[in-house]
Every structure is written in structure tokens, then in C-alpha cells.
């Protein structure tokens, strides 16, 4: 059995590939502009893990993959690149990649007769809800105020409708704030704090980070485990699932865990809560995991005190 992972050479995609391989699946990973082959997949390339070039907006490229591989399932993680990767930028790239990409993945799933298509959504769809914990059955506001909120809601609405009409098994993955190895971006707050500590810096060099600002921070290995469980389940009674840590984590908790893993760290934080970043002003900003636990047995296994040392060790050997 073979699962196609779009965005498979991305951060979450690579870890999901490892989890699927461990569960007995072969994988086809797509790349657009960035190629990465981490050591935890080194023994699988060209054997059970294969890489294919794919612009998700290119229907002919989808067809070529279908002719080359027998795909039984799809995990759609690909998202637009916002760097100088091609002729389109900003809104043009967002519309082109998201809308044509969604159309192509839905049509490929139907043409190939896959068992299940998993579409990556996000915790950001809960924007506008005054207080958590966030549950899958909560009504969402019918607007989008940023790229992620807008297009992930579109994925959910269009994907669910298409699945019903085409008799396709499509599941939505509402993914939390994910951090961990192979994350090439330094945008994520946990990543920034870990790197700052390892460099001997006393604070985030570019941001005022506050003690009590919270988020649903989830280690990437937990995220990959959850995606794999949902993708491979024999049947699913629900169409939308939260994937996260199942708890609210403050920046103070993150820094305390970092100091235990990096004892020489002198990281400092601003007191209290910030006013202008993210969703820190809301209470209980985490996703309830009751549904995914009941349906596929997922529970996070990488709390901060296990995840941060693991991440630090990886950074020591893989980052300059």
C-alpha cells in the first residue's frame, strides 16, 4: 500500500512519512522547490520512499504521478511558498496554489480510487472564538482574515462537499502549532527560543516574548502519529479532527523546559501577557482531543520535558 504525501519534503511531511513507513506503508513524497533528505529516512530512499516533483496546481503532473505509482491514499500537506521561489507571489500564489491545488487533489483522489484523502487544516480556523478549549463541532465565523484561516476553511467546506458528492472518504486535519526537528523556518516561537538558548542569547532577538502568552504547542512526532492514525484507520465516524497537544502551554513553561535541557541558558521573558501577537489574549487556547482519542486512540506522547531535550539533541548535530 502506498500513500502520497504532498509537501512530503516539508517539515510535517517528512515526519509523517517516517510514521507511515513505520506503520507498513510505502510513501511517495512530492517536492516543489525545496529538497531535503533527512537522515531518519536515509535507508528508505528509492526503496519504500520515493520523491516526485509536483506543482500541485499542475494537473498534468498529478496525472504523471498516477501513471507511475499505484496510490492508495493521499495526505495533502502542500501549501504555497512565500519566498522568492517563482513568478507568482502574495495573493497570486495563494489563489493559484490553494484553489487549483485543492481541485487537482480532489480529482486525483477520485480518479485513483484512494481509500482516504486527508486534507491539512489548522487551529487558525478557530480564530474569532472567544475562549477554548476548541472543539470540532464549534461554529466557525464565516470570514477569513488571513491566508491560513481563509484557505483552510475553504478546504474544509469544499472538501466535505466534494467527498459527499463523489463518495470519497475525506478527513480534515486541524493541526496545532507544530515544532521540532527539520523545521527550517525560524518563525515558530518554540524554535526561536530553543535556538536563542543554544546560542547563549538571553532573549528572542526580534520579539518581545511574554511569560504568560499561551498556545497549543505540539511536537512534530505527535502530529505525525496523529495524521498516520487517521489516514490508516479502517473507518472514521467523523470528518474533522483536532491534532495538537491537548493542553495550553505558556512561554514560561517552554523556557523552563529549555533551561532543564540547556542548563547554561540565561533566557529571559517579559512579564505577564503581550497585547499584539497571535491569540495569547484568549483563555484556554488549545484544541480538545476527545474525538481523536475516542476514534483512533491518539494521545500526545511528547510533552515538553521529553520533546525539548530531543529537539536540542537534534539541533546540536544538524544545525550550525
Amino acid at each position: 500500500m502506498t500513500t502520497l504525501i504532498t509537501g512530503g519534503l516539508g517539515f510535517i511531511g517528512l515526519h509523517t512519512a517516517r510514521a507511515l513507513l513505520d506503520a507498513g506503508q510505502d510513501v511517495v513524497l512530492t517536492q516543489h522547490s525545496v529538497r531535503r533528505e533527512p537522515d531518519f529516512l536515509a535507508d528508505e530512499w528509492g526503496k519504500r520512499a520515493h520523491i516526485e516533483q509536483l506543482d500541485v496546481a499542475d494537473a498534468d503532473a498529478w496525472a504523471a504521478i498516477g501513471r507511475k505509482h499505484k496510490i492508495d491514499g493521499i495526505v495533502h500537506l502542500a501549501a504555497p511558498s512565500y519566498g522568492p521561489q517563482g513568478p507568482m507571489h502574495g495573493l497570486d500564489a495563494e489563489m493559484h496554489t490553494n484553489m487549483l491545488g485543492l481541485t487537482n487533489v480532489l480529482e486525483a483522489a477520485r480518479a485513483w480510487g484512494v481509500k482516504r484523502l486527508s486534507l491539512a487544516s489548522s487551529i487558525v480556523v478557530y480564530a474569532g472564538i472567544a475562549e477554548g478549549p476548541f472543539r470540532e463541532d464549534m461554529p466557525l465565523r464565516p470570514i477569513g482574515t488571513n491566508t491560513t484561516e481563509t484557505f483552510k476553511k475553504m478546504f474544509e467546506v469544499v472538501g466535505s462537499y466534494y467527498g459527499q458528492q463523489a463518495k470519497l472518504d475525506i478527513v480534515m486535519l486541524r493541526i496545532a502549532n507544530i515544532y521540532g526537528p527539520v523545521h527550517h523556518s525560524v518563525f515558530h516561537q518554540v524554535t526561536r527560543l530553543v535556538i536563542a538558548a543554544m546560542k547563549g542569547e538571553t532573549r528572542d532577538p526580534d520579539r518581545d516574548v511574554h511569560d504568560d502568552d499561551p498556545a497549543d504547542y505540539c511536537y512534530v512526532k505527535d502530529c505525525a502519529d496523529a495524521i498516520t492514525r487517521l489516514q490508516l484507520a479502517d473507518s472514521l465516524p467523523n470528518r474533522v479532527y483536532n491534532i495538537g497537544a491537548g493542553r495550553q502551554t505558556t512561554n514560561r513553561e517552554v523556557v523552563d523546559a529549555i533551561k532543564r535541557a540547556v542548563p547554561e541558558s540565561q533566557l529571559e521573558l517579559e512579564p505577564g501577557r503581550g497585547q499584539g501577537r497571535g491569540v495569547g489574549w484568549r483563555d484556554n487556547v488549545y484544541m480538545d482531543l476527545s474525538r481523536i482519542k475516542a476514534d483512533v486512540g491518539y494521545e500526545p506522547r511528547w510533552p515538553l520535558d521529553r520533546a525539548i531535550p530531543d529537539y536540542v539533541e537534534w539541533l546540536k548535530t544538524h544545525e550550525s
Side-chain angles (χ1 to χ4, degrees):
M1 304 293 283
T2 301
T3 299
L4 174 72
I5 308 173
T6 71
L9 296 192
F11 166 50
I12 296 175
L14 287 164
H15 287 277
T16 300
R18 181 68 267 171
L20 284 165
L21 287 162
D22 291 344
Q25 292 281 300
D26 291 348
V27 293
V28 175
L29 312 183
T30 75
Q31 71 164 96
H32 182 217
S33 56
V34 177
R35 186 181 183 98
R36 293 183 293 173
E37 299 181 16
D39 52 9
F40 60 78
L41 291 175
D43 294 337
E44 307 291 358
W45 299 122
K47 300 172 185 175
R48 298 178 56 216
H50 305 274
I51 298 172
E52 297 291 346
Q53 185 75 30
L54 178 68
D55 175 350
V56 295
D58 183 348
D60 291 338
W62 280 95
I65 289 176
R67 289 191 297 269
K68 186 174 181 180
H69 301 276
K70 175 63 175 77
I71 303 298
D72 304 292
I74 302 174
V75 178
H76 185 46
L77 300 175
S81 171
Y82 299 107
Q85 305 290 350
M88 291 189 299
H89 306 281
L91 184 60
D92 287 342
E94 293 169 9
M95 297 293 288
H96 182 81
T97 302
N98 281 300
M99 298 185 77
L100 287 179
L102 178 60
T103 298
N104 288 335
V105 72
L106 292 172
E107 293 182 349
R110 181 169 64 166
W112 299 342
V114 302
K115 178 189 175 188
R116 178 167 296 129
L117 165 61
S118 295
L119 296 177
S121 185
S122 170
I123 189 175
V124 177
V125 301
Y126 294 113
I129 296 177
E131 183 178 352
F134 308 127
R135 301 183 309 276
E136 294 93 339
D137 57 1
M138 283 180 163
L140 306 179
R141 64 184 183 183
I143 61 172
T145 60
N146 59 61
T147 298
T148 303
E149 180 187 4
T150 300
F151 288 105
K152 294 309 184 184
K153 285 179 176 177
M154 181 196 78
F155 273 36
E156 292 194 10
V157 173
V158 175
S160 62
Y161 174 76
Y162 192 97
Q164 292 170 17
Q165 297 302 309
K167 303 297 188 291
L168 274 175
D169 187 341
I170 300 178
V171 62
M172 317 300 166
L173 316 173
R174 289 182 180 167
I175 297 172
N177 295 283
I178 310 302
Y179 70 97
V182 199
H183 198 181
H184 66 281
S185 169
V186 292
F187 176 80
H188 197 285
Q189 191 59 71
V190 174
T191 296
R192 293 177 64 85
L193 289 170
V194 171
I195 292 174
M198 294 178 69
K199 289 182 175 180
E201 297 170 349
T202 60
R203 60 200 317 112
D204 186 313
D206 302 310
R207 300 175 182 172
D208 291 330
V209 184
H210 292 256
D211 273 308
D212 297 331
D213 280 352
D216 189 333
Y217 290 138
C218 178
Y219 201 47
V220 67
K221 294 181 181 181
D222 276 332
C223 179
D225 174 47
I227 292 172
T228 298
R229 288 171 181 266
L230 291 169
Q231 179 65 23
L232 300 184
D234 289 336
S235 62
L236 293 172
N238 295 288
R239 295 298 92 200
V240 180
Y241 289 90
N242 290 336
I243 296 176
R247 69 184 298 272
Q248 175 174 280
T249 302
T250 65
N251 290 327
R252 169 49 56 194
E253 291 178 281
V254 172
V255 167
D256 287 347
I258 291 171
K259 287 183 175 181
R260 288 189 286 272
V262 186
E264 66 274 18
S265 169
Q266 299 297 315
L267 279 179
E268 299 175 357
L269 297 170
E270 299 293 328
R273 284 195 174 188
Q275 297 298 316
R277 284 192 54 81
V279 295
W281 57 270
R282 295 189 287 177
D283 291 322
N284 298 315
V285 287
Y286 69 95
M287 295 188 294
D288 181 274
L289 301 182
S290 299
R291 177 179 289 184
I292 191 171
K293 179 180 179 180
D295 290 357
V296 297
Y298 166 72
E299 291 188 83
R301 296 178 298 148
W302 288 88
L304 281 176
D305 275 338
R306 184 184 183 201
I308 295 296
D310 185 70
Y311 193 14
V312 167
E313 287 304 308
W314 186 87
L315 287 168
K316 285 179 179 178
T317 56
H318 293 83
E319 296 290 327
S320 58

